[in-house]
Each structure stands twice: as structure tokens, then as C-alpha cells.
Amino acid sequence: MKHWAIADIHGCYNTLRQLLEEILEIDKTDYLYLLGDIVDRGCQVKKTLDYIISLQEKGFNIMPIKGNHEYFLLNAYYLEKTQQVSKYRFGKCKEKTAYQKYRSHRS
């Protein structure tokens, strides 16, 4: 049993997957703490969130902690404040905000 802490994933699905599966090789006895900023900047926020949820559903011990970027995403989602939404973009994916990108892929 190992304990891992990872911060500032920022929607970088490929990097997270490679880190967990190929470098750390986590298993179901390990504990993984995600220290905020899972969303924003990277182009694959939805895929990153889906990956984390799928690992949890498979029995992996993953404890995400909400950071400031999650706070602003949730705030934009629930309150739909245009000024909040416009501040959070995807870095290289500036065609849509984090909220717009996530909202357009929700199902």
C-alpha cells in the first residue's frame, strides 16, 4: 500500500494516465490524493474527469480535493456568471472556456 499525492493536473489526461499506469503503476491497495486543479488549461478536462471517475468505479482509492479551478468551474456551472466563465480558458485550447468545453460534452 502506497500513498500518492498529485496536484495541478489541469486537464492533462494523457500525462495523468501515463503517470498512474506506467510510472507509478498504482493498484487498488494504493491511496491517491488529487490536490486540486484537476480542471482548466489542458484540452481534455472531460476525459480527465471521466478517467478519474472510472478508476474510482473500478475500486481504486482516489480522493480528489476541490481546488480553486474546480470552485470556479462549479460556480460558473451553477450560477452561470459570464464574468467567471470568461476568466477560465484552456491555455492552448482558447476557443472555449473550461466551463463551455465541459458543458458541451456533458451527457
Side-chain angles (χ1 to χ4, degrees):
M1 173 179 40
K2 298 174 186 163
H3 292 263
W4 303 100
I6 301 172
D8 299 304
I9 297 166
H10 288 290
C12 296
Y13 164 77
N14 293 328
T15 303
L16 178 63
R17 188 201 53 75
Q18 184 178 18
L19 176 64
L20 298 182
E21 295 178 15
E22 299 173 21
I23 298 171
L24 300 179
E25 298 179 344
I26 65 166
D27 63 42
K28 292 179 182 176
T29 64
D30 293 340
Y31 287 84
L32 175 62
Y33 304 91
L34 302 177
L35 307 177
D37 297 349
I38 296 167
V39 303
D40 195 38
R41 297 194 188 149
C43 295
Q44 297 178 306
V45 170
K46 170 89 168 59
K47 193 170 185 176
T48 301
L49 293 171
D50 288 343
Y51 177 65
I52 292 166
I53 292 167
S54 75
L55 290 175
Q56 289 175 316
E57 289 172 345
K58 291 176 184 173
F60 286 86
N61 299 303
I62 300 177
M63 280 74 50
I65 299 170
K66 182 171 53 175
N68 64 316
H69 293 280
E70 288 77 30
Y71 169 78
F72 288 120
L73 176 67
L74 291 171
N75 191 45
Y77 175 76
Y78 290 113
L79 302 176
E80 299 204 33
K81 291 184 178 179
T82 307
Q83 68 274 14
Q84 290 282 344
V85 173
S86 65
K87 290 181 184 178
Y88 286 89
R89 298 196 178 272
F90 273 107
K92 292 181 182 177
C93 304
K94 292 185 180 190
E95 74 281 357
K96 291 186 177 183
T97 65
Y99 170 64
Q100 290 168 328
K101 186 88 166 179
Y102 183 76
R103 185 177 186 187
S104 68
H105 289 94
R106 281 190 359 237
S107 24

